[in-house]
Amino acid sequence: MKKIKKVLILGSGALKIGEAGEFDYSGSQAIKALKEEGIRIVLVNPNIATIQTSKELADEVYFLPVTPAFVEKVIKKERPQGLLLSFGGQTALNCGIALHKSGILKKYNIEILGTPVSAIILTEDRSKFAKHLHKLNIPTPRSLAATNIDQAVKIAGQIGFPAMIRAGFALGGQGSGVAYNMTELKKIVSHAFAFAPQVLIEQYLHHYKEIEYEVVRDKFDNCVTVCNMENMDPLGIHTGDSIVVAPSQTLNNEEYHELRRASIEIVRSLGIVGECNVQFALNPKPKETVIARSETTKQPLKRSPRFARDDKGNLEYYVIEVNARLSRSSALASKATGYPLAYIAAKLGLGYSLTELKNKVTGVTKASFEPALDYIVVKIPRFDMDKFKGAIDKLGSSMKSVGEVMGIGRTFEEGYQKAIRMLDQDFEGAVNDEMFKSKDLIIETLKNPTPKRMFAVSSALKNKMNTSEVYKLSGIDPWFLSRIKNITDHETELQKLANNVIPAKAGIQEKNGSPIRSGMTGLLSKPHLLELKQLGFSDKRIGELVGKIGLEVRAIRKKLNILPSVLQIDTLAAEFPSQTNYLYMTYNATHNDVAPAGNSAVIVLGSGPYHIGSSVEFDWCSVNTVQSLKRYNKKSIIINCNPETVSTDYDISDKLYFEELTFERIADIYEFENPDGIIVSVGGQTPNNRAKSLFKYGAKILGTSPENIDRAEDRSKFSSLLDKLQIKQPAWNAFSTLEKAEEFAAKVGYPVLIRPSYVLSGSAMNICNDKVDLEKYLEEAATISKEYPVTVSKFFQKSQEIELDSVAQEGEVKAAIISEHVEYAGVHSGDATIVLPVQNVSLDIQKDIKDIGKRLAEELQITGPYNIQFLVLDNEVYIIEVNLRASRTFPFIAKVTGINMISMFVDGLFGKKVMGVEMPKIKFVAVKVAQFSFARLIGSNPALGVEMASTGEVACFGRDLEEAYLKGIIATGDRLPTKGIFISLGGEQKKLDFLKTAKKISGLGLPLFATEKTAIFLKKNGIKAKTLYKIHENKSPNIIDYFRAKKIDLVINIVDQGIKKEVQDDYHIGRAAIENNIVLFTKVKTTSLFIDA
Amino acid sequence: MAKLILKNGEEFEGVTFGYEGSVGGEVVFATGMTGYPEALTDPSFAGQILILTYPLIGNYGVPKKKFWESGKLQISGLIVSDYIDTPSHHQSKMTLSEWLKKEKIPALEIKDTRYITQYLRENGTMLGKIINGKDTPFFDPNVLNIVEQVSIKKILKEKPEGLNKHKRVIIIDCGAKNNIKRCFLKRGVETITVPWDFDPFSNEGQKQLKNVIANEVKQSLSIKIAASPLAPRDDNLFDALFISNGPGDPKKADKTIEVIKKSLENKIPTLGICLGNQLLALAAGGDTYKLKYGHRSQNQPCIMEKSNRCFITTQNHGFAISDVPVGFDKWFTNANDDSIEGIIHSKLPFMSVQFHPEATPGPKDTEWIFDFFLEKLT
Ligand SMILES: Nc1ncnc2c1ncn2[C@@H]1O[C@H](COP(=O)(O)OP(=O)(O)O)[C@@H](O)[C@H]1O
Ligand SMILES: Nc1ncnc2c1ncn2[C@@H]1O[C@H](COP(=O)(O)OP(=O)(O)O)[C@@H](O)[C@H]1O
Ligand SMILES: [Mg+2]
Ligand SMILES: [Mg+2]
């Protein structure tokens, strides 16, 4: 094997729908694999929140956009001999292909390690690839490529409806969809062409099973399939949005192994070296004889006698697609089986053979084997639809989920109910009695699934619909439906029992009496309670069904000595002894594979599923905590349930519980391990929310005391605390009637910010500009009542937002870093563009802010990380909120300033007195820019607001603000305008604010377009702009035509919340821009910054 | 309450879902995740109480007989963690439970199959019994010649449909899986399946052979093929000898060993699978031993000697080759425990493998062994 000394690895950039944390996992694994070989690693990845960009891993990290231009610069400087491009998702792949095609790689003679680029290119071109498969006698769905709409229409004529449209060279099913008639077809196709040069019109395989295989191949042609997975949702719902189980449950031996054989044949034919994902459609009820026809030759695909069906029964399958790289599915497969896929793939890329590599998990067996599971995993995606105003929540072939969880059990019911709780959306299990009241709604949801479909299924089965009816509507295999029915049956039975044994009233009395009552234990006999736990019911849910609280059921359970077992994930079903630290809990066992760790250990609560507001940054914090614990010889125990994370890797912690972050499960683990304590402040809000209940239960929480956490989180307690400390805060109050709310709003003056405690539709927080607004909102969107009060706060317009990130030890501040938002307050801190070091915050203000931080640390006796958000208006500092936990900005700060506040926190826990550090003088500027995924979410409103909507972030560096920002913007996918710029300015005020920038724009010498009003305004100020009519005016020249004709590649659409009607138009303009893949700005300040740059 | 009792006293309570009777046998575990209908009808499991480590069993029910590996359930008893009584599959004809009851095979659901597996891994395979109601003695299948029990009673001929001239292989049935025959038939080779102690070289044997060859018989497996790549046979009675898989201790099948010796003397191309592998070794002067807990899984990596090719194989055996006979070379080695997985003669067409190239259940990666062997036929 020839020696390679330096390798370039391309990352995937910001987290976005379809390309999320899984690539931090695969990248980090690859880096470790190469480091072991003493290879120097150069990494290009602007995603500053990732673990792979920490200095412990890569030797050189470039926070630059993963685009050919920038990567070439890096190549020129670093001169690597090898390139790994299959560990950074589609972004890295596309960039690598571009570098290959433009001859850059040849020029600097760089070798692409692993799978040959030719194979990658082939798999990316759907029609070429189909031809390739037909040569192997492997069928694909009937399908033809079109490069323009007319062509598409003709093809649809031939193939018929329903037809599936998919865009080539796009990830996450972007731009694809199903058309049931010509008009729908035209709509989807034109949308798709905005993203891709070519679309495929394809026969839509209604309610087929969707099956995936993860194949690994070495250069000696050895192949193993690490895992196969079955989607519970039928074909048609993107695998990323589907509930998925591993291994497959409804495939018999012939189906399992014929698909396996086909996967391997495909992988060999492509010469893959490393990892590859193959997706199949499988007919659940194949016809007697199956003739798959080749699109190219129109001839039936003959099968060689070797694969004669007659002796094995019919089998009808098609290949959906192949990903010749690490993918979301391979990350899942890796966590599902314990097989370190990305690590192995990287080694194979260096030329190792599978037989040379050890199975890291067992330590005794080889990597050239196929894991045997003795458990089932259930993956469920996490959606955040209501975070996107107006987004359509129907699931389809284009991915919409923002994260995922994986439940492990020894019955399907156990894994499934675990996973549902892991979503951390207040679901207690498979059944949710409130969600679906009407049968029509149930049927509608079964027919056209949404993220809530699980509960439609359970409601249907609980309310006298049988499995075959539900199957017909939903296409979910009866096998799964029967399992879910098993759950609902047990619920019904338990409810009946409860009503007989304890009369309704008694239930309430017992709440404040001792939990163990004859009636109660009689109701829940040991075998019965055990059975319920084996089916994955939570104590809380059992309580709900019998009129108890969870803690009472827990007490009974422990009295009856019903406790979960701790089992290892050892990759070969206990056939060989293994040292693995990868654990889960189940009630379907009677022994423990491992011994308790004892008080030398510390439990670290991870982040749970990625979702809007909680992303890879908190995984960085968790992993850093674990690493710091090593310094104090503390054993680390991670609890997390998110398969996309690095913290759940087999080689990070001393013990890994792939488990629920619910009170019940954390307490189970705490009681089994009895560790020194629990760290709740590094995994984001979810662990933070557990602090109170765990503390009440008697668990030891390390760091700031939960009482003080509560004083900061409870709004009224917090206010009185601020009053005591004489710290200002925007006027606010909580109201249970509309009148009172209006009174208050009138007093403090509009606009006001509303935070209802119960939301009916849309987003929780909202800005109301006047009385009408307020009434409308509180009628349509939210409830106002005694038990659901609404907090109203004065909304500060045009005020600066500033953040303070700190760490303290016993109330003493050890580090305090101030960063600044580019946007005015009103853009959520998670969406805002954040600048470090601060550029225009006066020293006095900085002093005030630090001082407030100091006083709060003292008052709340903070030990650990905390984050404060401030508003600055006319040189007055107001406080928005305090989070007594690590914030989103911690990795950003660590990498910009070198101050790792997580490791300082751990020092603060176990070390002696920690030395304080000051913000160092740095000569460059770092900017953190949010990544949005609006394009995926049909209908969602791209205008930013007080609710966070971004899915990820990047950070870039520059000599000045402009340079850094420009890099950041490019890294999030925006391009510089080269064709034309469209401007629409809402409201007089905004127009004036924008004038300075507008002048600059006209200087760019690009054709300008504007709405009628704006054009007039610009003309007045000596700027020429062609008038275009708004979409709804449907007069030409119309905006939409220019968009479609690609005459415009930058849209500046400044919304004035003041005027409702305009907001409507703005929404349409914004969507149109997004759907035509055009750069969009909606804030005066970012726009001017962009133009300056 | 029904239970599983191990020879050394360990007891596990369970819930019955099969035939409500008691049975003794050798307790073994298998880690394959699919293909229970194939496994449970594999005669190599005869006399054994099988623990499936994959917890959810019964998912796709039970298919038609023609998809089985033999005419009946071969296991003595079955232990699973989570029996599924609601199968879903277009081929399913009955539930697993119905099948077990019909064929009088006891089966228990015991939650912690992982613990029993670890126990057997540490202490080795041992005798045990499933108790449903009245007690029954322990029973060791390895002391008596169990091959005799599973072997076919009278000679059976099967032709590949659609061919009139073709090669012919004699399958010595020590408990052969149907897919072995399918693999030959698919390749245009006629199979004559004979009892474990049948001697095709004796005059009596030759007579019987001529007999069945002359007579037309109705097919039990029907496999149509268009054409065979193999040259039609010249006129000796048969072209090759095949020694099948089967249960128990190879040394008990002494008569088969004698027959194989003659075959080697006559330089008849000879292929062995699983038990056949051990028998070939013994006939050629090698030796065998009992593994601590055997190989019963579908993910055993086997490395081909003098190459870096590794194949994922299905295995189901408790004994293995300890000494490679003179004149033979090691062919395959187990990547996990270095045990011998196959031998091949350095000059003559004699070869055998410990794994199952016919798969069912399991990966199809080594089906090429049949092609490789048949190429050797002249
Ligand atoms: N012919 C088809 N009929 C029905 N559904 C399909 C078809 N092709 C693809 N799909 C669905 O669309 C999803 C996305 O398609 P895929 O080719 O995997 O694109 P991506 O590259 O986004 O993964 C698949 O997961 C599958 O559920
Ligand atoms: N009184 C206010 N005036 C102006 N903007 C505000 C005000 N309160 C909050 N915001 C904006 O709303 C965003 C979210 O508010 P915050 O209370 O931090 O909610 P969260 O808990 O989701 O972070 C803040 O980042 C800030 O931009
Ligand atoms: Mg896909
Ligand atoms: Mg905030």
Side-chain angles (χ1 to χ4, degrees), chain A residues 516-819:
Chain A
I516 300 133
R517 281 286 187 79
S518 54
M520 193 51 199
T521 32
L523 167 59
L524 287 171
S525 67
K526 180 165 183 175
H528 187 188
L529 184 54
L530 177 60
E531 187 184 14
L532 291 170
K533 297 306 283 184
Q534 288 173 335
L535 294 176
F537 285 96
S538 69
D539 293 343
K540 186 146 173 276
R541 182 58 183 171
I542 294 171
E544 286 169 6
L545 292 167
V546 300
K548 298 262 141 217
I549 62 165
L551 277 173
E552 293 173 301
V553 176
R554 182 181 185 83
I556 297 165
R557 182 163 65 70
K558 287 173 69 179
K559 184 148 182 295
L560 295 172
N561 193 26
I562 299 174
L563 301 172
S565 296
V566 183
L567 296 190
Q568 290 173 314
I569 290 188
D570 61 12
T571 72
L572 29 67
E575 187 183 0
F576 291 92
S578 68
Q579 305 319 336
T580 176
N581 61 349
Y582 185 1
L583 309 169
Y584 71 102
M585 278 186 159
T586 177
Y587 284 92
N588 295 282
T590 52
H591 80 287
N592 297 313
D593 280 347
V594 296
N599 67 356
S600 68
V602 170
I603 291 179
V604 180
L605 301 186
S607 65
Y610 290 149
H611 56 275
I612 306 292
S614 169
S615 186
V616 64
E617 59 272 5
F618 293 116
D619 201 43
W620 181 91
C621 293
S622 312
V623 171
N624 272 265
T625 309
V626 168
Q627 282 158 352
S628 311
L629 284 168
K630 291 189 170 60
R631 287 206 304 276
Y632 298 93
N633 310 323
K634 293 285 180 187
K635 287 207 180 55
S636 54
I637 300 174
I638 282 266
I639 307 178
N640 201 358
C641 55
N642 175 347
E644 304 179 306
T645 53
V646 175
S647 60
T648 55
D649 249 6
Y650 67 102
D651 59 354
I652 294 292
S653 56
D654 295 292
K655 276 185 175 178
L656 163 64
Y657 280 88
F658 208 101
E659 270 301 340
E660 298 169 55
L661 286 160
T662 53
F663 163 79
E664 176 179 348
R665 192 34 51 93
I666 297 167
D668 291 336
I669 296 169
Y670 185 83
E671 285 174 340
F672 173 78
E673 295 283 353
N674 64 70
D676 183 5
I678 307 179
I679 293 179
V680 297
S681 53
V682 295
Q685 195 53 38
T686 305
N688 207 48
N689 292 344
R690 302 289 175 268
K692 205 169 171 182
S693 50
L694 287 166
F695 179 73
K696 275 233 221 76
Y697 188 69
K700 182 172 159 203
I701 305 297
L702 299 171
T704 314
S705 96
E707 285 120 326
N708 283 329
I709 295 178
D710 187 48
R711 280 173 75 200
E713 301 231 315
D714 178 316
R715 287 197 164 273
S716 43
K717 286 183 191 166
F718 185 56
S719 282
S720 42
L721 180 143
L722 291 181
D723 297 344
K724 175 173 160 214
L725 299 176
Q726 295 166 345
I727 300 170
K728 287 216 189 72
Q729 161 184 43
W732 75 275
N733 210 334
F735 304 96
S736 50
T737 70
L738 182 58
E739 295 66 33
K740 288 262 172 305
E742 281 173 353
E743 247 169 60
F744 175 82
K747 190 166 106 271
V748 297
Y750 288 93
V752 289
L753 182 71
I754 316 291
R755 289 188 182 87
S757 46
Y758 187 89
V759 185
L760 301 171
S761 75
S763 47
M765 268 190 281
N766 213 310
I767 303 169
C768 295
N769 297 288
D770 51 36
K771 196 158 177 292
V772 192
D773 235 11
L774 185 65
E775 281 165 6
K776 198 155 161 296
Y777 177 68
L778 285 182
E779 273 155 22
E780 289 170 7
T783 317
I784 180 162
S785 69
K786 275 240 160 338
E787 70 256 6
Y788 298 121
V790 170
T791 50
V792 182
S793 14
K794 164 99 188 128
F795 183 83
F796 287 26
Q797 287 171 294
K798 294 235 206 86
S799 67
Q800 190 177 23
E801 182 163 354
I802 296 172
E803 300 211 26
L804 176 73
D805 287 288
S806 278
V807 60
Q809 180 180 32
E810 282 139 21
E812 224 177 89
V813 178
K814 299 302 179 180
I817 307 295
I818 301 175
S819 52

Side-chain angles (χ1 to χ4, degrees), chain B residues 286-299:
Chain B
D287 199 3
T288 61
Y289 70 111
K290 192 172 199 293
L291 296 164
K292 188 176 179 192
Y293 52 93
H295 296 152
R296 292 176 190 84
S297 56
Q298 303 171 16
N299 62 347

Side-chain angles (χ1 to χ4, degrees), chain A residues 1053-1074:
Chain A
N1053 184 36
I1054 309 298
V1055 185
D1056 186 334
Q1057 298 295 351
I1059 309 156
K1060 267 281 165 284
K1061 189 191 144 299
E1062 282 212 358
V1063 175
Q1064 267 312 312
D1065 306 343
D1066 287 317
Y1067 166 78
H1068 289 305
I1069 295 173
R1071 274 316 303 179
I1074 291 293

Side-chain angles (χ1 to χ4, degrees), chain A residues 828-829 869 881 883:
Chain A
H828 191 282
S829 48
Q869 289 157 33
E881 69 162 359
N883 299 307

Side-chain angles (χ1 to χ4, degrees), chain A residues 212-223:
Chain A
E212 290 185 85
Y213 282 74
E214 296 299 322
V215 187
V216 172
R217 179 180 176 275
D218 68 16
K219 71 171 193 200
F220 307 99
D221 212 20
N222 297 315
C223 291

Side-chain angles (χ1 to χ4, degrees), chain A residues 412-431:
Chain A
F412 170 80
E413 295 87 331
E414 189 178 34
Y416 180 68
Q417 298 218 80
K418 265 187 177 184
I420 288 175
R421 286 190 296 272
M422 287 171 169
L423 290 171
D424 195 28
Q425 294 174 309
D426 301 321
F427 304 140
E428 263 317 305
V431 181

